[in-house]
């Protein structure tokens, strides 16, 4: 499929060293992968930007990320030689995007990997051969860097490859040694191309270490030969590995003879789309160019993030997506684009990348709708926040101040949703810095308040196992065909670590050499059941996978289970069947949603449990009642048709050709498992399923809602749970009908009749209240006094709510014509105040908001409002009388000043 289909021996042409091949980005992908396929590498498709099964990583930021378990030794690779073109996203350099010719957040990394197979003496010559003999780089233009004391690499570069010693630069640990804490690590070596002095900074010391655009890195080799321990010591690995990378965009820029990645055929069509949308030609003005480059890069990342199942949010990956999209909107405004335009730019990205990533076309409707919805939401925030920030900056300029307070930045972020990064960017452009420490302190205070309001609960307590302790262990899953099997215990763990046995009453984990227990995966919960050995019995409460080992969470109920025991592992069959019922129903639900809502619907998450199923999917709106009814009917039609459920294995490429649906963020090997339900559903799936759809029984949707922007959720029941749910509903209806003395069929009509009577009674009661209020108005009007020609009314009106006080004040104003009034009332132990000033007096300077604020302060409260009418409240109702006495004096004082 896509860019790796059709790659074979002879699919690329040789080049003459010194004569660059003018390759398109697509041709470079194919040439690179073809080169390494001919050297025994398995070609795998790009993994998702969402790292699979790795909570330590936010996003896929390097070509090796999908292979981290292979480098750690916790999983066995499908081949010891692999090559990929991996989509990546990093935000560390986001502030430099647009300012330089080479910085991008989104990029593609061409890579070849060895897992304990070949090492330096193969990897180095292959890298040189590819860039010189197959891409045509002139060896005289190439420089090489190595780690300070990597003499082995120096010898290969100098003696075997023939790079002069003067063009091999030794660099330190900061740039040429790769490590990520404890674990595998090693020195690096890079190939740089000298693009010529016209690209440089002109400084005398300009070289590969310079940050200008003259020397551009085109290849990076990481030699994974050490393991770093907790003490910081380095130990040589028995099996050494290779991780190399070649940036597709950078290499394309050099091969195509353009100054920057933004002028390559990979990015130029997107640049052109932005120029059309803005009417600003690229290359005319640097400030325009910067904004065009920012939008071009960011929208490539946004498009792929949404395609991979990330939704805009205020945390994690969703925040990265939101930040990229919002920066794009702002730079669009700087180009004069006032209308929503990002979906047009995303379509340009899809058009360029669709051959390499056909899933973009499949998901295009969803991608564009998600982007358009988020852009529309942000435009309101942007207008409001930009206006406020401009006002604040204007005041700072008048005062000659060059620092925006952290409190102002925090208020923009917390109250108005204006991103801090945008505040920072706008301030930089205005020559103003931000009190970052104050902002961070306010953010931390907010987090502490939120944390104090939450109850924090552990997930698995201390009963967890470090993946490193399972290195080399593997469990063979046989649960598709067996629910009971003999197996050997290969490891046991408690919270303290590995143990030789688990005794009666102890909880922990057991690893078996083979198991029928399904480990939690793909939304399906893990199996439960019994493990019984010669000396004891343990109950399995959950099953999960860690690396290639399957962990059985157990509590020993009798005797003991020891490492080395031969045991009988028995899955709870009834529970497994209920899970399979819900899993097959999930596939039917997915198919029905796509038929009713459209083919932009894709699964973005699920829960398949024995008692229920939950399905999260991409869609702009939550399905309505009629749509859900159609979905439910379609699923039940497929259930009653008793269709066969077919499960088979094939290659990933063949499965995609068949139209099988893959899941967002899921990692697939070369061989995949496919679940087919005739012509209704075809999905890649590793879960357990029924033999026929008829075994699902009744399917009933019990809920629908929104999970995030663009992600909706449906919850449903099957089998006995669905029957019980319907029966409970029926019982509730019958009980309600009995209470209302009617039949179930006439219940709705009976409720309508009662609601109509209730409305009539409410109207009658409201009328009676109005009449009572009118009578009270006459009583209160007797307390009107005149002061220097102004009518003043201050009175307590017992038992009226704030809303009723407003209505009461309108009646009084209509009677007195002109004047000032303050009313007070006690309700549920609280004092409420209302002040009103007729229009003829507000124009002369009397203000109801000021009057009510001073009045409420006497009772320990506060409030305010418009000059004509204002409200306030106070907790101390016992001070109501004193506050009203004070109100009379407050009004007199203001009237006196007014008439002076």
């Amino acid at each position: 499929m896509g860019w790796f289909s059709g790659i074979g021996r002879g699919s690329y042409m040789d080049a003459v060293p010194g004569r660059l091949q003018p390759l398109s980005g697509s041709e470079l992908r194919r040439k690179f992968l073809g080169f390494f396929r001919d050297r025994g590498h398995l070609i795998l498709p790009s993994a998702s930007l969402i790292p699979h099964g790795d909570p330590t990583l936010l996003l896929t930021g390097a070509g090796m990320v999908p292979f981290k378990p292979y480098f750690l030794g916790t999983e066995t690779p499908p081949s010891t030689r692999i090559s990929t073109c991996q989509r990546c996203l990093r935000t560390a350099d986001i502030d430099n995007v647009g300012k330089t010719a080479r910085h991008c957040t989104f990029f593609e990394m061409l890579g070849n990997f060895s897992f304990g197979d070949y090492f330096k003496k193969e990897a180095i010559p292959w890298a040189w051969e590819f860039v010189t003999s197959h891409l045509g780089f002139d060896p005289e233009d190439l420089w090489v860097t190595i780690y300070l004391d990597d003499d082995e690499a120096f010898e290969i570069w100098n003696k075997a490859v023939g790079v002069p010693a003067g063009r091999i630069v030794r660099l330190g640990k900061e740039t040429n040694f790769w490590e990520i804490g404890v674990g595998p690590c090693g020195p690096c070596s890079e190939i740089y191309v000298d693009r010529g002095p016209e690209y440089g900074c002109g400084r005398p010391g300009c070289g590969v270490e310079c940050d200008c655009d003259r020397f551009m890195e085109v290849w990076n080799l990481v030699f994974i030969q050490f393991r770093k321990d907790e003490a910081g010591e380095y130990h040589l690995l028995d099996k050494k590995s290779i991780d190399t990378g070649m940036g597709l965009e950078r290499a394309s820029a050099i091969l195509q003879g353009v100054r920057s990645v933004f002028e390559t055929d990979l990015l130029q069509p997107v640049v052109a789309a932005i120029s059309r949308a803005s009417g600003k030609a690229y290359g005319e003005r640097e400030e325009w160019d910067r904004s065009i480059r920012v939008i071009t890069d960011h929208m490539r990342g946004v498009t792929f993030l949404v395609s991979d199942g990330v939704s805009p949010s205020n945390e994690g990956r969703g925040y990265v997506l939101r930040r990229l999209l919002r920066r794009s909107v702002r730079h669009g405004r700087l180009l004069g684009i006032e209308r929503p335009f990002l979906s047009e730019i995303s379509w340009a990205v899809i058009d360029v990348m669709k051959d390499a990533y056909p899933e973009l076309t499949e998901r295009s409707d969803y991608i564009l709708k998600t982007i358009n919805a988020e852009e529309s939401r942000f435009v309101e925030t942007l207008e409001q926040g930009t206006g406020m920030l401009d006002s604040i900056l204007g005041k700072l300029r008048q005062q000659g101040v060059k620092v925006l307070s952290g409190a102002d930045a925090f208020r923009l972020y917390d109250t108005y949703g204006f991103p801090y990064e945008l505040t920072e960017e706008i301030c930089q452009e205005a020559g103003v810095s931000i009190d970052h420490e104050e902002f961070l302190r306010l953010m931390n205070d907010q987090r502490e308040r939120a944390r104090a309001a939450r109850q924090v609960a552990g997930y698995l307590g201390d009963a967890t196992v470090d993946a490193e302790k399972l290195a080399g262990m593997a469990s063979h899953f046989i649960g598709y065909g067996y629910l009971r099997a003999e197996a050997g215990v290969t490891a046991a763990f408690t919270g303290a670590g590995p143990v030789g046995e688990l005794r009666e009453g102890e909880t922990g984990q057991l690893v078996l050499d083979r198991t029928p227990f399904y480990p939690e995966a793909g939304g399906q919960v893990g199996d439960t059941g019994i493990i019984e050995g010669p000396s004891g019995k343990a109950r399995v409460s959950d099953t999960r996978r860690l690396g290639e080992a399957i962990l059985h969470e157990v509590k020993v109920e009798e005797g003991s289970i020891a490492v080395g025991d031969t045991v009988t592992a028995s899955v709870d069959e009834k529970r497994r069947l209920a899970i399979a019922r819900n899993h097959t129903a999930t596939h039917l639900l997915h198919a029905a949603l796509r038929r009713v809502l459209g083919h932009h619907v894709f699964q973005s998450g699920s829960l398949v449990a024995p008692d229920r199923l939950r399905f999260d999917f991409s869609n702009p709106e939550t399905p309505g009642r009629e749509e859900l009814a159609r979905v439910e009917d379609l699923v039940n039609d497929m259930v009653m048709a008793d269709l066969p459920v077919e499960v088979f294995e094939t290659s990933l490429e063949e499965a995609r050709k068949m139209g099988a649906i893959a899941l967002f963020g899921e990692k697939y090997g070369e061989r995949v498992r496919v679940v087919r339900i005739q012509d209704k559903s075809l999905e890649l799936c590793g879960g357990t399923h029924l033999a026929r759809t008829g075994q699902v029984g009744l399917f009933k949707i019990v809920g629908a809602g929104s999970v995030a922007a663009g992600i909706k959720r449906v919850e449903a029941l099957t089998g006995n749970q669905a029957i019980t749910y319907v029966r409970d509903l029926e019982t509730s209806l019958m009980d309600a009908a009995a209470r209302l003395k009617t039949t179930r069929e006439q219940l709705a009509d009976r409720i309508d009749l009662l609601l109509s009577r209730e409305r009539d009674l409410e109207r009658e009661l409201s009328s009676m209240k109005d009449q009572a209020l009118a009578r009270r108005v006459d009583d209160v009007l007797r307390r009107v006094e005149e002061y220097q020609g102004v009518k003043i009314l201050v009175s307590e009106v017992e038992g009226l709510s704030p809303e009723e006080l407003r209505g009461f004040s309108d009646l009084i104003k209509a009677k007195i014509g002109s004047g000032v009034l303050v009313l007070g009332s006690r309700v549920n132990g609280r004092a409420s105040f209302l002040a009103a000033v007729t229009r003829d007096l507000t124009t002369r300077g009397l203000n109801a908001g000021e009057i009510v604020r001073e009045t409420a302060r006497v009772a320990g409260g506060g409030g305010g409002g418009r000059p004509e009418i204002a409200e306030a409240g106070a907790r101390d109702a016992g001070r109501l009388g004193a506050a009203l006495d004070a109100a009379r004096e407050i009004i007199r004082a203001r009237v006196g000043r007014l008439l002076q």
Side-chain angles (χ1 to χ4, degrees):
M1 57 158 277
W3 42 262
F4 63 93
S5 61
I7 298 172
R9 189 176 298 277
S11 63
Y12 53 88
M13 299 181 296
D14 287 350
V16 177
R19 189 177 300 165
L20 284 177
Q21 292 286 292
L23 299 173
S24 69
S26 295
E27 288 168 337
L28 178 55
R29 276 196 209 96
R30 287 194 292 270
K31 183 181 278 283
F32 180 91
L33 296 171
F35 178 85
F36 283 102
R37 171 167 281 179
D38 286 353
R39 283 150 185 79
H41 289 65
L42 171 65
I43 309 301
L44 291 181
S46 171
S48 169
L49 286 174
I50 303 174
H52 176 72
D54 190 345
T56 67
L57 292 175
L58 190 67
L59 293 164
T60 299
M64 60 76 64
V65 166
F67 309 124
K68 186 177 170 184
Y70 307 152
F71 286 117
L72 292 172
T74 58
E75 291 184 21
T76 302
S79 170
T80 56
R81 298 182 178 193
I82 290 176
S83 185
T84 63
C85 180
Q86 175 61 47
R87 57 186 180 269
C88 303
L89 200 147
R90 300 177 190 166
T91 58
D93 292 327
I94 191 170
D95 291 331
N96 289 320
V97 172
K99 297 178 183 177
T100 72
R102 63 187 185 279
H103 281 101
C104 297
T105 58
F106 177 86
F107 57 94
E108 293 178 83
M109 186 61 71
L110 298 161
N112 59 288
F113 307 91
S114 164
F115 308 105
D117 191 320
Y118 61 84
F119 200 49
K120 293 179 187 177
K121 68 183 181 66
E122 294 89 2
I124 290 174
W126 282 346
W128 188 261
E129 177 188 357
F130 185 72
V131 298
T132 58
S133 299
H134 298 278
L135 297 185
F137 282 99
D138 189 341
E140 297 297 318
D141 293 334
L142 299 179
W143 289 68
V144 169
T145 67
I146 61 172
Y147 181 55
L148 277 174
D149 59 4
D150 193 354
D151 295 330
E152 180 186 6
F154 178 86
E155 289 297 312
I156 297 171
W157 280 118
N158 183 237
K159 300 292 194 299
V161 174
V163 178
R167 287 212 304 277
I168 303 174
V169 182
R170 294 179 184 262
L171 297 176
K173 200 169 186 179
E174 185 176 328
T175 59
N176 277 58
F177 195 94
W178 177 82
E179 60 185 345
I180 49 171
V182 174
C185 57
C188 306
S189 182
E190 299 153 321
I191 301 175
Y192 282 82
V193 60
D194 181 357
R195 306 179 74 192
E198 65 271 24
Y199 287 89
C201 57
R203 292 193 294 267
C206 184
V208 294
E209 296 178 79
C210 189
D211 199 35
C212 69
D213 290 334
R214 175 173 177 175
F215 292 88
M216 187 173 283
E217 176 197 324
V218 293
W219 201 294
N220 182 28
L221 301 102
V222 180
F223 309 123
I224 302 174
Q225 61 191 78
F226 299 110
R227 182 191 175 278
K228 183 180 178 181
D229 64 21
E230 288 81 354
E233 299 292 325
Y234 296 92
H235 308 277
L236 270 174
L237 295 169
D238 294 331
K239 289 186 175 182
K240 301 175 178 65
S241 298
I242 289 289
D243 162 21
T244 78
M246 180 183 197
L248 178 66
E249 292 83 1
R250 287 189 182 186
S252 296
I254 300 169
L255 292 170
Q256 294 171 24
V258 295
R259 292 190 67 90
S260 82
V261 298
F262 296 94
E263 296 165 48
T264 65
D265 69 316
L266 294 168
L267 282 76
Q268 197 282 326
V270 186
V271 168
I274 299 165
S275 292
R276 286 193 300 272
S278 64
K280 307 289 194 300
Y282 186 72
E284 285 192 4
R285 291 172 60 175
E286 177 53 31
E287 61 265 34
W288 293 353
D289 291 354
R290 183 189 172 210
S291 289
I292 290 172
R293 287 193 291 265
V294 168
I295 300 168
T296 298
D297 167 73
H298 287 7
M299 287 311 298
R300 278 163 41 96
V302 165
T303 300
F304 276 92
L305 283 168
V306 176
S307 175
D308 282 343
V310 179
S311 295
S313 70
N314 286 329
E315 58 186 16
R317 300 179 187 106
Y319 182 68
V320 173
L321 168 59
R322 178 163 278 171
R323 184 181 179 192
L324 293 175
L325 193 147
R326 290 182 168 189
R327 288 189 93 225
S328 299
V329 173
R330 178 174 179 267
H331 279 277
R333 291 299 178 96
L334 293 178
L335 291 172
I337 307 174
E338 299 293 330
R339 60 180 177 80
F341 75 105
L342 293 185
S343 58
E344 298 170 31
I345 312 308
S346 179
W347 179 252
V349 174
I350 293 170
D351 196 46
V352 173
M353 307 294 276
K354 64 187 178 186
D355 291 337
Y357 301 95
E359 64 270 26
L360 291 177
T361 304
E362 297 170 12
R363 300 168 185 169
S364 61
D365 284 351
Y366 169 65
I367 294 169
L368 301 180
K369 285 180 180 178
T370 300
I371 289 171
N372 194 56
E374 177 66 13
E375 181 180 13
S376 299
R377 276 192 295 270
F378 180 57
V379 163
E380 298 176 16
T381 299
L382 182 64
E383 289 174 350
Q384 188 177 25
T386 303
M388 289 196 62
L389 183 54
D390 287 345
S391 173
I392 294 169
L393 291 175
K395 291 177 182 176
L396 293 181
R397 277 193 295 272
Q398 291 174 1
Q399 298 164 6
V401 177
K402 290 288 186 180
V403 180
L404 180 77
S405 73
D408 280 335
F410 179 76
R411 185 162 58 91
L412 283 165
Y413 170 81
D414 188 52
T415 306
Y416 300 99
F418 198 71
Y420 176 76
E421 292 81 10
L422 276 186
T423 301
E424 196 171 37
E425 196 170 316
I426 293 170
C427 285
Q428 284 176 358
E429 292 168 0
V432 173
S433 62
I434 300 176
D435 188 339
H436 188 61
E437 289 187 7
E438 183 184 16
F439 175 80
L440 288 180
R441 179 173 55 76
L442 292 168
M443 283 292 291
N444 288 331
D445 289 347
Q446 184 193 59
R447 290 191 189 103
E448 287 301 322
R449 288 193 297 272
R451 189 176 293 117
R454 293 195 302 263
Q455 287 187 337
V456 181
Y459 173 52
L460 288 174
D462 61 355
T464 58
V465 180
D466 192 329
E468 217 170 301
K469 292 171 184 169
L470 293 171
M473 293 187 189
S475 304
H476 179 49
F477 176 65
I478 57 172
Y480 293 133
Y482 302 92
L483 295 179
R484 180 184 174 91
E486 284 195 351
V489 180
T490 57
F493 299 89
T494 65
V499 293
E501 65 176 358
L502 293 175
R503 298 188 181 93
E504 187 170 326
E506 284 188 317
T507 59
Q509 299 85 28
L510 294 176
V511 179
L512 309 182
D513 58 357
R514 63 184 201 141
T515 179
F517 283 80
Y518 182 85
E520 179 181 349
Q524 179 174 326
V525 298
D527 279 335
T528 62
I530 297 291
I531 294 176
E532 193 163 6
S535 305
K537 182 173 73 172
R539 184 167 299 278
V540 180
S541 60
D542 195 10
T543 311
R544 57 193 175 95
R545 183 183 290 278
L546 196 55
E548 295 197 359
I550 294 176
L551 294 175
H552 304 77
E553 300 285 341
V554 300
K555 180 174 182 179
V556 180
E557 294 184 336
E558 299 174 13
S560 64
I561 304 286
V563 175
D565 280 355
T566 298
V567 296
T568 299
S570 304
V571 174
D572 183 329
E573 294 186 28
K574 186 176 180 181
R575 184 175 180 273
R576 167 72 84 83
L577 178 60
I579 292 170
R581 187 178 289 119
N582 282 329
H583 205 149
T584 299
T586 298
H587 284 223
L588 298 177
L589 172 61
H590 192 181
L593 285 166
R594 285 169 65 83
R595 281 184 61 183
V596 172
L597 302 178
H599 287 281
H600 62 274
V601 168
F602 284 96
Q603 178 176 339
S604 61
S606 68
L607 171 68
V608 179
D611 58 336
R612 70 191 193 284
L613 68 90
R614 186 180 70 216
F615 187 77
D616 297 342
F617 58 97
S618 53
N619 200 56
E621 299 89 24
T622 302
R625 186 187 300 178
E626 289 185 9
E627 290 172 317
L628 290 173
R630 288 170 59 200
V631 168
E632 188 174 274
D633 288 344
L634 281 172
V635 173
N636 280 311
D637 286 346
M638 290 185 277
V639 169
M640 289 185 287
D642 196 25
L643 306 172
V645 179
E646 181 186 1
V647 180
F648 60 91
E649 284 194 0
T650 185
S651 69
L652 179 59
E653 188 172 351
E654 187 59 34
R656 290 196 185 274
K657 286 179 182 176
M658 295 166 61
I661 296 175
L663 303 187
F664 281 136
E666 198 68 24
K667 178 181 173 183
Y668 297 104
E670 190 178 35
R671 301 288 297 175
V672 294
R673 189 168 179 266
V674 181
V675 177
R676 176 163 54 199
I677 304 174
Q678 280 194 358
D679 60 345
K680 309 298 183 185
S681 171
L682 186 68
E683 294 193 28
L684 304 187
C685 182
T688 60
H689 285 271
L690 304 169
R692 303 187 71 87
T693 60
Q695 293 173 276
V696 170
L698 176 64
F699 173 86
K700 182 65 185 170
I701 293 175
V702 296
S706 181
V707 178
I711 303 295
K712 308 308 168 189
R713 171 174 291 174
V714 166
E715 297 181 81
L717 304 174
T718 63
N720 288 331
Q721 280 76 25
I723 293 170
T724 300
Y725 177 82
V726 172
R727 184 177 294 136
D728 289 345
L729 281 180
E730 186 177 50
T731 300
S732 297
L733 284 173
M734 292 175 69
D735 287 347
R739 291 182 185 186
L740 297 177
K741 295 181 172 57
T742 187
T743 63
R744 188 180 61 185
E745 292 76 17
Q746 294 178 328
L747 180 60
D749 292 338
R750 179 66 171 164
I751 291 173
D752 287 342
L753 177 62
L754 291 174
L755 289 174
S756 177
R757 288 180 180 174
E758 182 184 25
R759 285 190 292 272
D760 291 342
L761 289 171
E762 285 176 348
R763 280 193 293 270
E764 186 177 337
L765 179 61
S766 178
S767 175
M768 292 171 64
K769 282 184 175 180
D770 289 344
Q771 293 172 20
L773 281 176
R775 287 193 295 272
R776 294 180 74 176
V777 165
D778 292 337
D779 292 338
V780 169
L781 284 174
R782 296 191 184 97
R783 299 169 200 164
V784 172
E785 57 185 88
E786 253 189 52
Y787 180 74
Q788 296 188 21
V790 175
K791 292 177 183 175
I792 299 172
L793 173 60
V794 177
S795 177
E796 179 179 349
V797 190
E798 193 65 38
L800 294 189
S801 68
E803 185 179 351
E804 289 169 333
L805 277 178
R806 287 193 291 274
F808 195 68
S809 71
D810 290 340
L811 294 173
I812 291 174
K813 283 191 292 182
K815 292 273 190 180
I816 65 174
S818 172
V820 184
L821 64 101
V822 173
L823 303 175
S825 179
R826 306 171 206 258
V827 178
N828 298 325
R830 288 182 60 89
S832 294
F833 300 95
L834 182 141
V837 179
T838 55
R839 188 172 296 276
D840 61 309
L841 295 177
T842 60
T843 58
R844 294 172 64 187
L846 287 179
N847 188 302
E850 295 172 356
I851 294 169
V852 82
R853 192 178 301 115
E854 288 188 43
T855 301
R857 196 176 294 141
V858 176
R866 302 193 311 275
E868 297 87 3
I869 187 165
E871 297 173 272
R875 289 196 179 94
D876 189 0
R879 299 280 298 164
L880 178 66
L884 292 176
D885 289 342
R888 195 172 287 105
E889 298 307 316
I890 290 166
I891 296 170
R892 285 178 175 173
R894 288 178 176 273
V895 168
R897 287 199 298 271
L898 179 68
L899 298 177
Q900 281 180 355

